[in-house]
Amino acid sequence: MIAGHYATALVPEQAPTAPKLLFFLTASQLPDLVWFALTFLGLEPVHTHAGPAHLELIVTHDLLPTLPWLAVAAIAGRAFFGEWRSGWIAAALVAVHNAADLLSGYPHFVAGPDTQPLGFGLYYSAPHGAVAIEAAFAAAVLTWVVNRERQHGLTRSGMTWAGRALIFGVGIATSFATAPSLGDLPPNGTLPVSMAAGLLLLYSTQIAVLTWTESRPAVAAQVARTAAGVS
Ligand SMILES: [Zn+2]
């Protein structure tokens, strides 16, 4: 799952400030961002078995190693915003990321390949199905977000909708078109550094775009109400 994770970052607050939105979006992708960063240091290699390579993201995606990342996210929220609420939200976003990956992504383990495997592993067995699940997941979350906006009379700007169409529409359609490559891993024991750099650039761009478009002012009933109150 890639784009689907971003949808979860839109849930905690209806109209977050741009810095908070940037923080929530980063938290929603923290396991992947750390994975790409660790690839440069050779600390999160693609562990190979006899037969096809399997992606075992032990440090960032296995169950027990996820726990310290929850703490990192919580402490970062407290440090950046001076309150624990943002930290708990960030920790929850990290947990939801790894849970969603088990639903639609690579299989992971409790703590390393000698422990209990977790997840459906659909990136290997049914990559198009995995992306279809991601599309359904993102659609469900976004429907909830949009319904909340409607209930509060919040009408989003064209720029916000353009960002949603780009990241969720084009993003998931692209994943669907390239789905077979998701399970087609390099056999040499690590994600190529060039691929990690490319993915880091892609994710950073997506986070920047959504931070910009989601924090555009809403053309809202609130605005009309404020104007009516003034006049
Ligand atoms: Zn992930």
Side-chain angles (χ1 to χ4, degrees):
M1 187 171 295
I2 302 173
H5 295 308
Y6 295 122
T8 64
L10 306 183
V11 169
E13 291 187 15
Q14 181 170 262
T17 61
K20 200 169 266 190
L21 193 55
L22 177 65
F23 178 67
F24 289 160
L25 287 165
T26 302
S28 77
Q29 293 286 14
L30 189 68
D32 287 10
L33 294 170
V34 175
W35 162 32
F36 304 144
L38 291 181
T39 298
F40 295 107
L41 304 170
L43 293 175
E44 186 73 292
V46 178
H47 298 263
T48 53
H49 297 280
H54 276 249
L55 200 56
E56 287 165 18
L57 303 173
I58 298 169
V59 180
T60 55
H61 285 71
D62 276 6
L63 183 63
L64 295 181
T66 295
L67 301 178
W69 295 113
L70 304 184
V72 167
I75 291 166
R78 173 73 176 79
F80 292 149
F81 300 103
E83 31 97 7
W84 281 108
R85 184 180 169 275
S86 295
W88 301 134
I89 290 171
L93 289 170
V94 173
V96 170
H97 174 113
N98 281 359
D101 276 358
L102 295 179
L103 185 69
S104 164
Y106 300 107
H108 299 294
F109 294 88
V110 170
D114 297 329
T115 59
Q116 172 71 33
L118 304 167
F120 297 120
L122 294 179
Y123 272 7
Y124 297 129
S125 58
H128 287 103
V131 180
I133 288 172
E134 176 179 3
F137 175 84
V141 175
L142 287 171
T143 299
W144 186 88
V145 166
V146 171
N147 274 339
R148 179 178 60 182
E149 289 170 352
R150 289 227 176 94
Q151 280 167 12
H152 292 87
L154 195 69
T155 307
R156 290 299 198 159
S157 70
M159 189 63 86
T160 301
W161 282 105
R164 291 174 181 180
L166 179 68
I167 301 301
F168 300 107
V170 177
I172 292 175
T174 304
S175 287
F176 195 81
T178 59
S181 70
L182 293 167
D184 186 18
L185 296 167
N188 64 348
T190 186
L191 190 73
V193 166
S194 61
M195 202 186 281
L199 287 165
L200 204 51
L201 184 65
L202 172 71
Y203 278 51
S204 304
T205 306
Q206 290 173 325
I207 288 172
V209 165
L210 269 182
T211 299
W212 170 254
T213 58
E214 286 294 324
S215 59
R216 289 305 81 204
V219 267
Q222 280 97 322
V223 177
R225 246 179 268 138
T226 310
V230 167
S231 59

PDB file of all heavy atoms in Angstrom, residues 155-195:
ATOM      1  N   THR A 155     -16.795  23.204   2.378  1.00  0.00           N
ATOM      2  CA  THR A 155     -16.654  22.911   0.957  1.00  0.00           C
ATOM      3  C   THR A 155     -15.204  23.130   0.558  1.00  0.00           C
ATOM      4  O   THR A 155     -14.683  24.235   0.701  1.00  0.00           O
ATOM      5  CB  THR A 155     -17.573  23.821   0.124  1.00  0.00           C
ATOM      6  OG1 THR A 155     -18.896  23.719   0.636  1.00  0.00           O
ATOM      7  CG2 THR A 155     -17.548  23.406  -1.335  1.00  0.00           C
ATOM      8  N   ARG A 156     -14.559  22.096   0.066  1.00  0.00           N
ATOM      9  CA  ARG A 156     -13.137  22.169  -0.261  1.00  0.00           C
ATOM     10  C   ARG A 156     -12.909  22.864  -1.599  1.00  0.00           C
ATOM     11  O   ARG A 156     -13.749  22.808  -2.486  1.00  0.00           O
ATOM     12  CB  ARG A 156     -12.539  20.756  -0.289  1.00  0.00           C
ATOM     13  CG  ARG A 156     -12.438  20.130   1.091  1.00  0.00           C
ATOM     14  CD  ARG A 156     -11.536  20.967   1.969  1.00  0.00           C
ATOM     15  NE  ARG A 156     -11.057  20.226   3.128  1.00  0.00           N
ATOM     16  CZ  ARG A 156      -9.977  20.568   3.802  1.00  0.00           C
ATOM     17  NH1 ARG A 156      -9.276  21.630   3.448  1.00  0.00           N
ATOM     18  NH2 ARG A 156      -9.598  19.880   4.834  1.00  0.00           N
ATOM     19  N   SER A 157     -11.746  23.486  -1.730  1.00  0.00           N
ATOM     20  CA  SER A 157     -11.415  24.223  -2.953  1.00  0.00           C
ATOM     21  C   SER A 157     -11.063  23.253  -4.090  1.00  0.00           C
ATOM     22  O   SER A 157     -10.787  22.073  -3.859  1.00  0.00           O
ATOM     23  CB  SER A 157     -10.221  25.139  -2.693  1.00  0.00           C
ATOM     24  OG  SER A 157      -9.048  24.372  -2.524  1.00  0.00           O
ATOM     25  N   GLY A 158     -11.065  23.786  -5.310  1.00  0.00           N
ATOM     26  CA  GLY A 158     -10.686  22.983  -6.480  1.00  0.00           C
ATOM     27  C   GLY A 158      -9.277  22.443  -6.347  1.00  0.00           C
ATOM     28  O   GLY A 158      -8.979  21.318  -6.775  1.00  0.00           O
ATOM     29  N   MET A 159      -8.389  23.220  -5.726  1.00  0.00           N
ATOM     30  CA  MET A 159      -7.003  22.789  -5.548  1.00  0.00           C
ATOM     31  C   MET A 159      -6.930  21.555  -4.648  1.00  0.00           C
ATOM     32  O   MET A 159      -6.159  20.624  -4.906  1.00  0.00           O
ATOM     33  CB  MET A 159      -6.179  23.935  -4.953  1.00  0.00           C
ATOM     34  CG  MET A 159      -4.697  23.691  -4.911  1.00  0.00           C
ATOM     35  SD  MET A 159      -3.989  23.506  -6.555  1.00  0.00           S
ATOM     36  CE  MET A 159      -3.674  25.220  -6.970  1.00  0.00           C
ATOM     37  N   THR A 160      -7.738  21.546  -3.588  1.00  0.00           N
ATOM     38  CA  THR A 160      -7.755  20.375  -2.698  1.00  0.00           C
ATOM     39  C   THR A 160      -8.216  19.136  -3.457  1.00  0.00           C
ATOM     40  O   THR A 160      -7.622  18.060  -3.341  1.00  0.00           O
ATOM     41  CB  THR A 160      -8.682  20.647  -1.492  1.00  0.00           C
ATOM     42  OG1 THR A 160      -8.196  21.804  -0.811  1.00  0.00           O
ATOM     43  CG2 THR A 160      -8.692  19.466  -0.538  1.00  0.00           C
ATOM     44  N   TRP A 161      -9.261  19.297  -4.265  1.00  0.00           N
ATOM     45  CA  TRP A 161      -9.769  18.153  -5.023  1.00  0.00           C
ATOM     46  C   TRP A 161      -8.774  17.695  -6.073  1.00  0.00           C
ATOM     47  O   TRP A 161      -8.654  16.498  -6.347  1.00  0.00           O
ATOM     48  CB  TRP A 161     -11.130  18.502  -5.656  1.00  0.00           C
ATOM     49  CG  TRP A 161     -12.209  18.431  -4.618  1.00  0.00           C
ATOM     50  CD1 TRP A 161     -12.853  19.475  -4.013  1.00  0.00           C
ATOM     51  CD2 TRP A 161     -12.726  17.246  -4.009  1.00  0.00           C
ATOM     52  NE1 TRP A 161     -13.740  19.010  -3.079  1.00  0.00           N
ATOM     53  CE2 TRP A 161     -13.693  17.653  -3.052  1.00  0.00           C
ATOM     54  CE3 TRP A 161     -12.474  15.890  -4.169  1.00  0.00           C
ATOM     55  CZ2 TRP A 161     -14.394  16.733  -2.278  1.00  0.00           C
ATOM     56  CZ3 TRP A 161     -13.179  14.982  -3.389  1.00  0.00           C
ATOM     57  CH2 TRP A 161     -14.125  15.409  -2.456  1.00  0.00           C
ATOM     58  N   ALA A 162      -8.030  18.669  -6.658  1.00  0.00           N
ATOM     59  CA  ALA A 162      -7.009  18.295  -7.652  1.00  0.00           C
ATOM     60  C   ALA A 162      -5.924  17.449  -6.987  1.00  0.00           C
ATOM     61  O   ALA A 162      -5.452  16.458  -7.556  1.00  0.00           O
ATOM     62  CB  ALA A 162      -6.411  19.555  -8.279  1.00  0.00           C
ATOM     63  N   GLY A 163      -5.529  17.839  -5.775  1.00  0.00           N
ATOM     64  CA  GLY A 163      -4.529  17.066  -5.045  1.00  0.00           C
ATOM     65  C   GLY A 163      -5.035  15.662  -4.744  1.00  0.00           C
ATOM     66  O   GLY A 163      -4.301  14.677  -4.893  1.00  0.00           O
ATOM     67  N   ARG A 164      -6.286  15.546  -4.334  1.00  0.00           N
ATOM     68  CA  ARG A 164      -6.854  14.231  -4.039  1.00  0.00           C
ATOM     69  C   ARG A 164      -6.911  13.370  -5.306  1.00  0.00           C
ATOM     70  O   ARG A 164      -6.600  12.170  -5.265  1.00  0.00           O
ATOM     71  CB  ARG A 164      -8.249  14.390  -3.426  1.00  0.00           C
ATOM     72  CG  ARG A 164      -8.191  14.988  -2.027  1.00  0.00           C
ATOM     73  CD  ARG A 164      -9.568  15.300  -1.453  1.00  0.00           C
ATOM     74  NE  ARG A 164      -9.432  15.883  -0.117  1.00  0.00           N
ATOM     75  CZ  ARG A 164     -10.453  16.267   0.647  1.00  0.00           C
ATOM     76  NH1 ARG A 164     -11.702  16.166   0.197  1.00  0.00           N
ATOM     77  NH2 ARG A 164     -10.230  16.772   1.842  1.00  0.00           N
ATOM     78  N   ALA A 165      -7.304  13.991  -6.431  1.00  0.00           N
ATOM     79  CA  ALA A 165      -7.384  13.237  -7.688  1.00  0.00           C
ATOM     80  C   ALA A 165      -5.999  12.748  -8.097  1.00  0.00           C
ATOM     81  O   ALA A 165      -5.832  11.608  -8.546  1.00  0.00           O
ATOM     82  CB  ALA A 165      -7.987  14.114  -8.790  1.00  0.00           C
ATOM     83  N   LEU A 166      -4.990  13.599  -7.905  1.00  0.00           N
ATOM     84  CA  LEU A 166      -3.618  13.243  -8.306  1.00  0.00           C
ATOM     85  C   LEU A 166      -3.055  12.128  -7.426  1.00  0.00           C
ATOM     86  O   LEU A 166      -2.589  11.096  -7.926  1.00  0.00           O
ATOM     87  CB  LEU A 166      -2.721  14.486  -8.231  1.00  0.00           C
ATOM     88  CG  LEU A 166      -1.252  14.263  -8.606  1.00  0.00           C
ATOM     89  CD1 LEU A 166      -1.121  13.943 -10.092  1.00  0.00           C
ATOM     90  CD2 LEU A 166      -0.417  15.494  -8.274  1.00  0.00           C
ATOM     91  N   ILE A 167      -3.102  12.341  -6.111  1.00  0.00           N
ATOM     92  CA  ILE A 167      -2.446  11.380  -5.208  1.00  0.00           C
ATOM     93  C   ILE A 167      -3.223  10.068  -5.125  1.00  0.00           C
ATOM     94  O   ILE A 167      -2.641   8.987  -5.200  1.00  0.00           O
ATOM     95  CB  ILE A 167      -2.264  11.989  -3.803  1.00  0.00           C
ATOM     96  CG1 ILE A 167      -1.421  13.269  -3.864  1.00  0.00           C
ATOM     97  CG2 ILE A 167      -1.646  10.958  -2.852  1.00  0.00           C
ATOM     98  CD1 ILE A 167      -0.035  13.104  -4.432  1.00  0.00           C
ATOM     99  N   PHE A 168      -4.550  10.171  -4.981  1.00  0.00           N
ATOM    100  CA  PHE A 168      -5.318   8.936  -4.792  1.00  0.00           C
ATOM    101  C   PHE A 168      -5.779   8.344  -6.124  1.00  0.00           C
ATOM    102  O   PHE A 168      -5.669   7.133  -6.330  1.00  0.00           O
ATOM    103  CB  PHE A 168      -6.517   9.191  -3.863  1.00  0.00           C
ATOM    104  CG  PHE A 168      -6.084   9.670  -2.508  1.00  0.00           C
ATOM    105  CD1 PHE A 168      -6.265  10.988  -2.118  1.00  0.00           C
ATOM    106  CD2 PHE A 168      -5.440   8.807  -1.635  1.00  0.00           C
ATOM    107  CE1 PHE A 168      -5.827  11.439  -0.881  1.00  0.00           C
ATOM    108  CE2 PHE A 168      -4.997   9.244  -0.394  1.00  0.00           C
ATOM    109  CZ  PHE A 168      -5.195  10.565  -0.017  1.00  0.00           C
ATOM    110  N   GLY A 169      -6.251   9.181  -7.039  1.00  0.00           N
ATOM    111  CA  GLY A 169      -6.736   8.670  -8.332  1.00  0.00           C
ATOM    112  C   GLY A 169      -5.585   8.194  -9.203  1.00  0.00           C
ATOM    113  O   GLY A 169      -5.456   6.997  -9.504  1.00  0.00           O
ATOM    114  N   VAL A 170      -4.722   9.138  -9.576  1.00  0.00           N
ATOM    115  CA  VAL A 170      -3.596   8.799 -10.457  1.00  0.00           C
ATOM    116  C   VAL A 170      -2.624   7.851  -9.740  1.00  0.00           C
ATOM    117  O   VAL A 170      -2.117   6.899 -10.337  1.00  0.00           O
ATOM    118  CB  VAL A 170      -2.867  10.087 -10.931  1.00  0.00           C
ATOM    119  CG1 VAL A 170      -1.653   9.737 -11.785  1.00  0.00           C
ATOM    120  CG2 VAL A 170      -3.831  10.990 -11.696  1.00  0.00           C
ATOM    121  N   GLY A 171      -2.387   8.108  -8.455  1.00  0.00           N
ATOM    122  CA  GLY A 171      -1.439   7.279  -7.701  1.00  0.00           C
ATOM    123  C   GLY A 171      -1.850   5.821  -7.671  1.00  0.00           C
ATOM    124  O   GLY A 171      -1.045   4.930  -7.968  1.00  0.00           O
ATOM    125  N   ILE A 172      -3.102   5.544  -7.341  1.00  0.00           N
ATOM    126  CA  ILE A 172      -3.544   4.151  -7.229  1.00  0.00           C
ATOM    127  C   ILE A 172      -3.689   3.525  -8.621  1.00  0.00           C
ATOM    128  O   ILE A 172      -3.359   2.346  -8.807  1.00  0.00           O
ATOM    129  CB  ILE A 172      -4.835   4.060  -6.389  1.00  0.00           C
ATOM    130  CG1 ILE A 172      -4.497   4.436  -4.934  1.00  0.00           C
ATOM    131  CG2 ILE A 172      -5.434   2.656  -6.449  1.00  0.00           C
ATOM    132  CD1 ILE A 172      -5.677   4.509  -3.992  1.00  0.00           C
ATOM    133  N   ALA A 173      -4.112   4.319  -9.618  1.00  0.00           N
ATOM    134  CA  ALA A 173      -4.187   3.783 -10.993  1.00  0.00           C
ATOM    135  C   ALA A 173      -2.796   3.377 -11.474  1.00  0.00           C
ATOM    136  O   ALA A 173      -2.625   2.337 -12.122  1.00  0.00           O
ATOM    137  CB  ALA A 173      -4.796   4.829 -11.929  1.00  0.00           C
ATOM    138  N   THR A 174      -1.789   4.180 -11.133  1.00  0.00           N
ATOM    139  CA  THR A 174      -0.405   3.853 -11.524  1.00  0.00           C
ATOM    140  C   THR A 174       0.058   2.575 -10.825  1.00  0.00           C
ATOM    141  O   THR A 174       0.698   1.707 -11.440  1.00  0.00           O
ATOM    142  CB  THR A 174       0.538   5.024 -11.165  1.00  0.00           C
ATOM    143  OG1 THR A 174       0.044   6.208 -11.787  1.00  0.00           O
ATOM    144  CG2 THR A 174       1.957   4.761 -11.644  1.00  0.00           C
ATOM    145  N   SER A 175      -0.272   2.456  -9.527  1.00  0.00           N
ATOM    146  CA  SER A 175       0.081   1.225  -8.804  1.00  0.00           C
ATOM    147  C   SER A 175      -0.571   0.013  -9.452  1.00  0.00           C
ATOM    148  O   SER A 175       0.046  -1.054  -9.569  1.00  0.00           O
ATOM    149  CB  SER A 175      -0.370   1.314  -7.341  1.00  0.00           C
ATOM    150  OG  SER A 175       0.450   2.197  -6.623  1.00  0.00           O
ATOM    151  N   PHE A 176      -1.825   0.174  -9.888  1.00  0.00           N
ATOM    152  CA  PHE A 176      -2.535  -0.952 -10.503  1.00  0.00           C
ATOM    153  C   PHE A 176      -1.850  -1.363 -11.812  1.00  0.00           C
ATOM    154  O   PHE A 176      -1.643  -2.544 -12.080  1.00  0.00           O
ATOM    155  CB  PHE A 176      -4.002  -0.592 -10.751  1.00  0.00           C
ATOM    156  CG  PHE A 176      -4.868  -1.782 -11.048  1.00  0.00           C
ATOM    157  CD1 PHE A 176      -5.352  -2.585 -10.016  1.00  0.00           C
ATOM    158  CD2 PHE A 176      -5.176  -2.129 -12.352  1.00  0.00           C
ATOM    159  CE1 PHE A 176      -6.131  -3.702 -10.281  1.00  0.00           C
ATOM    160  CE2 PHE A 176      -5.953  -3.242 -12.627  1.00  0.00           C
ATOM    161  CZ  PHE A 176      -6.433  -4.026 -11.589  1.00  0.00           C
ATOM    162  N   ALA A 177      -1.471  -0.339 -12.600  1.00  0.00           N
ATOM    163  CA  ALA A 177      -0.855  -0.615 -13.902  1.00  0.00           C
ATOM    164  C   ALA A 177       0.502  -1.301 -13.736  1.00  0.00           C
ATOM    165  O   ALA A 177       0.920  -2.087 -14.591  1.00  0.00           O
ATOM    166  CB  ALA A 177      -0.709   0.676 -14.693  1.00  0.00           C
ATOM    167  N   THR A 178       1.194  -0.988 -12.637  1.00  0.00           N
ATOM    168  CA  THR A 178       2.545  -1.531 -12.447  1.00  0.00           C
ATOM    169  C   THR A 178       2.573  -2.621 -11.366  1.00  0.00           C
ATOM    170  O   THR A 178       3.645  -2.991 -10.885  1.00  0.00           O
ATOM    171  CB  THR A 178       3.521  -0.404 -12.054  1.00  0.00           C
ATOM    172  OG1 THR A 178       3.061   0.216 -10.842  1.00  0.00           O
ATOM    173  CG2 THR A 178       3.622   0.661 -13.137  1.00  0.00           C
ATOM    174  N   ALA A 179       1.386  -3.139 -11.000  1.00  0.00           N
ATOM    175  CA  ALA A 179       1.273  -4.073  -9.871  1.00  0.00           C
ATOM    176  C   ALA A 179       2.215  -5.281  -9.950  1.00  0.00           C
ATOM    177  O   ALA A 179       2.816  -5.655  -8.933  1.00  0.00           O
ATOM    178  CB  ALA A 179      -0.175  -4.522  -9.703  1.00  0.00           C
ATOM    179  N   PRO A 180       2.382  -5.919 -11.128  1.00  0.00           N
ATOM    180  CA  PRO A 180       3.242  -7.120 -11.149  1.00  0.00           C
ATOM    181  C   PRO A 180       4.671  -6.832 -10.697  1.00  0.00           C
ATOM    182  O   PRO A 180       5.346  -7.723 -10.175  1.00  0.00           O
ATOM    183  CB  PRO A 180       3.210  -7.545 -12.622  1.00  0.00           C
ATOM    184  CG  PRO A 180       1.903  -7.017 -13.120  1.00  0.00           C
ATOM    185  CD  PRO A 180       1.706  -5.704 -12.414  1.00  0.00           C
ATOM    186  N   SER A 181       5.131  -5.592 -10.846  1.00  0.00           N
ATOM    187  CA  SER A 181       6.509  -5.274 -10.439  1.00  0.00           C
ATOM    188  C   SER A 181       6.658  -5.251  -8.913  1.00  0.00           C
ATOM    189  O   SER A 181       7.773  -5.310  -8.386  1.00  0.00           O
ATOM    190  CB  SER A 181       6.929  -3.915 -11.017  1.00  0.00           C
ATOM    191  OG  SER A 181       6.218  -2.876 -10.386  1.00  0.00           O
ATOM    192  N   LEU A 182       5.530  -5.189  -8.180  1.00  0.00           N
ATOM    193  CA  LEU A 182       5.600  -5.117  -6.716  1.00  0.00           C
ATOM    194  C   LEU A 182       6.219  -6.376  -6.109  1.00  0.00           C
ATOM    195  O   LEU A 182       6.912  -6.315  -5.097  1.00  0.00           O
ATOM    196  CB  LEU A 182       4.196  -4.894  -6.133  1.00  0.00           C
ATOM    197  CG  LEU A 182       3.549  -3.534  -6.446  1.00  0.00           C
ATOM    198  CD1 LEU A 182       2.066  -3.562  -6.109  1.00  0.00           C
ATOM    199  CD2 LEU A 182       4.248  -2.415  -5.691  1.00  0.00           C
ATOM    200  N   GLY A 183       5.941  -7.519  -6.725  1.00  0.00           N
ATOM    201  CA  GLY A 183       6.472  -8.775  -6.195  1.00  0.00           C
ATOM    202  C   GLY A 183       7.731  -9.220  -6.901  1.00  0.00           C
ATOM    203  O   GLY A 183       8.290 -10.268  -6.612  1.00  0.00           O
ATOM    204  N   ASP A 184       8.197  -8.405  -7.840  1.00  0.00           N
ATOM    205  CA  ASP A 184       9.346  -8.750  -8.669  1.00  0.00           C
ATOM    206  C   ASP A 184      10.575  -8.068  -8.078  1.00  0.00           C
ATOM    207  O   ASP A 184      10.950  -6.967  -8.455  1.00  0.00           O
ATOM    208  CB  ASP A 184       9.076  -8.263 -10.099  1.00  0.00           C
ATOM    209  CG  ASP A 184      10.173  -8.710 -11.052  1.00  0.00           C
ATOM    210  OD1 ASP A 184      10.909  -9.643 -10.690  1.00  0.00           O
ATOM    211  OD2 ASP A 184      10.290  -8.108 -12.132  1.00  0.00           O
ATOM    212  N   LEU A 185      11.202  -8.737  -7.113  1.00  0.00           N
ATOM    213  CA  LEU A 185      12.238  -8.075  -6.316  1.00  0.00           C
ATOM    214  C   LEU A 185      13.638  -8.393  -6.798  1.00  0.00           C
ATOM    215  O   LEU A 185      13.876  -9.434  -7.379  1.00  0.00           O
ATOM    216  CB  LEU A 185      12.089  -8.527  -4.855  1.00  0.00           C
ATOM    217  CG  LEU A 185      10.776  -8.087  -4.222  1.00  0.00           C
ATOM    218  CD1 LEU A 185      10.569  -8.819  -2.913  1.00  0.00           C
ATOM    219  CD2 LEU A 185      10.772  -6.591  -3.993  1.00  0.00           C
ATOM    220  N   PRO A 186      14.570  -7.491  -6.532  1.00  0.00           N
ATOM    221  CA  PRO A 186      15.955  -7.748  -6.921  1.00  0.00           C
ATOM    222  C   PRO A 186      16.508  -8.934  -6.130  1.00  0.00           C
ATOM    223  O   PRO A 186      16.250  -9.058  -4.934  1.00  0.00           O
ATOM    224  CB  PRO A 186      16.681  -6.450  -6.545  1.00  0.00           C
ATOM    225  CG  PRO A 186      15.805  -5.809  -5.538  1.00  0.00           C
ATOM    226  CD  PRO A 186      14.394  -6.213  -5.843  1.00  0.00           C
ATOM    227  N   PRO A 187      17.240  -9.829  -6.781  1.00  0.00           N
ATOM    228  CA  PRO A 187      17.688 -11.060  -6.128  1.00  0.00           C
ATOM    229  C   PRO A 187      18.986 -10.902  -5.340  1.00  0.00           C
ATOM    230  O   PRO A 187      19.459 -11.848  -4.745  1.00  0.00           O
ATOM    231  CB  PRO A 187      17.912 -12.006  -7.320  1.00  0.00           C
ATOM    232  CG  PRO A 187      18.296 -11.092  -8.441  1.00  0.00           C
ATOM    233  CD  PRO A 187      17.609  -9.769  -8.199  1.00  0.00           C
ATOM    234  N   ASN A 188      19.548  -9.711  -5.297  1.00  0.00           N
ATOM    235  CA  ASN A 188      20.904  -9.596  -4.746  1.00  0.00           C
ATOM    236  C   ASN A 188      20.931  -9.198  -3.270  1.00  0.00           C
ATOM    237  O   ASN A 188      21.947  -8.791  -2.752  1.00  0.00           O
ATOM    238  CB  ASN A 188      21.716  -8.586  -5.551  1.00  0.00           C
ATOM    239  CG  ASN A 188      21.143  -7.187  -5.453  1.00  0.00           C
ATOM    240  OD1 ASN A 188      20.015  -7.040  -4.973  1.00  0.00           O
ATOM    241  ND2 ASN A 188      21.870  -6.187  -5.884  1.00  0.00           N
ATOM    242  N   GLY A 189      19.787  -9.272  -2.593  1.00  0.00           N
ATOM    243  CA  GLY A 189      19.821  -9.109  -1.146  1.00  0.00           C
ATOM    244  C   GLY A 189      19.566  -7.717  -0.630  1.00  0.00           C
ATOM    245  O   GLY A 189      19.575  -7.496   0.568  1.00  0.00           O
ATOM    246  N   THR A 190      19.333  -6.759  -1.506  1.00  0.00           N
ATOM    247  CA  THR A 190      19.002  -5.432  -0.994  1.00  0.00           C
ATOM    248  C   THR A 190      18.227  -4.643  -2.039  1.00  0.00           C
ATOM    249  O   THR A 190      18.314  -4.919  -3.229  1.00  0.00           O
ATOM    250  CB  THR A 190      20.261  -4.651  -0.571  1.00  0.00           C
ATOM    251  OG1 THR A 190      19.866  -3.431   0.040  1.00  0.00           O
ATOM    252  CG2 THR A 190      21.147  -4.335  -1.769  1.00  0.00           C
ATOM    253  N   LEU A 191      17.452  -3.694  -1.574  1.00  0.00           N
ATOM    254  CA  LEU A 191      16.790  -2.769  -2.498  1.00  0.00           C
ATOM    255  C   LEU A 191      17.893  -1.890  -3.086  1.00  0.00           C
ATOM    256  O   LEU A 191      18.695  -1.343  -2.333  1.00  0.00           O
ATOM    257  CB  LEU A 191      15.797  -1.908  -1.713  1.00  0.00           C
ATOM    258  CG  LEU A 191      14.831  -1.029  -2.502  1.00  0.00           C
ATOM    259  CD1 LEU A 191      13.755  -1.880  -3.156  1.00  0.00           C
ATOM    260  CD2 LEU A 191      14.184   0.001  -1.587  1.00  0.00           C
ATOM    261  N   PRO A 192      17.967  -1.754  -4.423  1.00  0.00           N
ATOM    262  CA  PRO A 192      19.021  -0.894  -4.973  1.00  0.00           C
ATOM    263  C   PRO A 192      18.912   0.518  -4.411  1.00  0.00           C
ATOM    264  O   PRO A 192      17.814   1.038  -4.225  1.00  0.00           O
ATOM    265  CB  PRO A 192      18.734  -0.906  -6.473  1.00  0.00           C
ATOM    266  CG  PRO A 192      17.916  -2.134  -6.710  1.00  0.00           C
ATOM    267  CD  PRO A 192      17.134  -2.361  -5.456  1.00  0.00           C
ATOM    268  N   VAL A 193      20.052   1.106  -4.118  1.00  0.00           N
ATOM    269  CA  VAL A 193      20.068   2.452  -3.548  1.00  0.00           C
ATOM    270  C   VAL A 193      19.358   3.443  -4.474  1.00  0.00           C
ATOM    271  O   VAL A 193      18.638   4.328  -4.016  1.00  0.00           O
ATOM    272  CB  VAL A 193      21.529   2.884  -3.267  1.00  0.00           C
ATOM    273  CG1 VAL A 193      21.616   4.379  -3.006  1.00  0.00           C
ATOM    274  CG2 VAL A 193      22.074   2.111  -2.067  1.00  0.00           C
ATOM    275  N   SER A 194      19.521   3.245  -5.796  1.00  0.00           N
ATOM    276  CA  SER A 194      18.857   4.151  -6.739  1.00  0.00           C
ATOM    277  C   SER A 194      17.341   4.039  -6.608  1.00  0.00           C
ATOM    278  O   SER A 194      16.615   5.037  -6.695  1.00  0.00           O
ATOM    279  CB  SER A 194      19.295   3.836  -8.167  1.00  0.00           C
ATOM    280  OG  SER A 194      18.928   2.516  -8.498  1.00  0.00           O
ATOM    281  N   MET A 195      16.843   2.812  -6.369  1.00  0.00           N
ATOM    282  CA  MET A 195      15.394   2.631  -6.216  1.00  0.00           C
ATOM    283  C   MET A 195      14.918   3.275  -4.910  1.00  0.00           C
ATOM    284  O   MET A 195      13.871   3.924  -4.878  1.00  0.00           O
ATOM    285  CB  MET A 195      15.052   1.139  -6.229  1.00  0.00           C
ATOM    286  CG  MET A 195      13.608   0.839  -6.593  1.00  0.00           C
ATOM    287  SD  MET A 195      13.203  -0.921  -6.430  1.00  0.00           S
ATOM    288  CE  MET A 195      13.911  -1.580  -7.920  1.00  0.00           C
TER     289      MET A 195
END
